[in-house]
Amino acid sequence: MISKLGQVMLYVSNQDDAVDFWTNKLGFSVIAEEDNGQGFRWIEAAPKNGGGSSIVIHNKEFVEKMSPGLNLGTPSLMFFTENLEELYEDLSSKNIKVGDIVTMPAGRVFNFADGEENYFAVMEKK
């Protein structure tokens, strides 16, 4: 049901400094950037040679307001799936704590938690 680990989400206080670090110091490229004009901005960066996974740089303060229970001290994992509803129903039927399905610019997503309240996300990309 989960097809791959697609993204690692970093929560930072200064997105521009983080982008500078990942691009100018580590040689990553910005491959996508979204800004909804209401404070939600994310920047996706990946190694220049591809590699299949990427880093999404989020504004820590904004994410904290959106998801107060999320541990912002460590990166989060974003998994990809081909069928979001099927996976959502499967996890729900197993009494796994799941959040609402939300439509984002890049696709639909929901969060789920393990037994220790560590949260992960799953996206069905457009």
Side-chain angles (χ1 to χ4, degrees):
M1 307 266 290
I2 290 176
S3 57
K4 71 177 184 174
L5 172 61
Q7 299 170 329
V8 175
M9 295 174 286
L10 298 178
Y11 307 107
V12 301
S13 298
N14 188 315
Q15 287 175 292
D16 293 325
D17 285 351
V19 169
D20 180 64
F21 172 80
W22 287 100
T23 58
N24 293 326
K25 294 193 168 84
L26 292 182
F28 281 43
S29 295
V30 172
I31 59 173
E33 185 169 350
E34 296 288 336
D35 188 337
N36 73 356
Q38 299 174 352
F40 180 69
R41 175 180 171 226
W42 62 265
I43 303 105
E44 185 175 4
K48 288 186 179 177
N49 67 353
S53 295
S54 60
I55 295 170
V56 179
I57 301 166
H58 287 280
N59 179 306
K60 187 184 286 189
E61 183 180 331
F62 185 83
V63 173
E64 188 171 49
K65 289 177 187 171
M66 279 184 27
S67 303
L70 195 62
N71 178 1
L72 300 177
T74 60
S76 295
L77 304 178
M78 170 77 80
F79 296 99
F80 291 160
T81 185
E82 301 297 321
N83 190 326
L84 197 74
E85 284 91 7
E86 185 179 324
L87 179 60
Y88 186 89
E89 293 303 323
D90 182 58
L91 296 181
S92 296
S93 73
K94 295 174 180 171
N95 293 321
I96 295 173
K97 187 176 187 178
V98 295
D100 294 332
I101 295 176
V102 177
T103 301
M104 306 294 279
R108 296 179 313 144
V109 65
F110 72 88
N111 292 329
F112 66 94
D114 66 12
E116 295 186 9
E117 297 289 313
N118 296 305
Y119 280 83
F120 307 96
V122 179
M123 177 180 280
E124 180 181 68
K125 292 188 92 169
K126 290 182 180 178

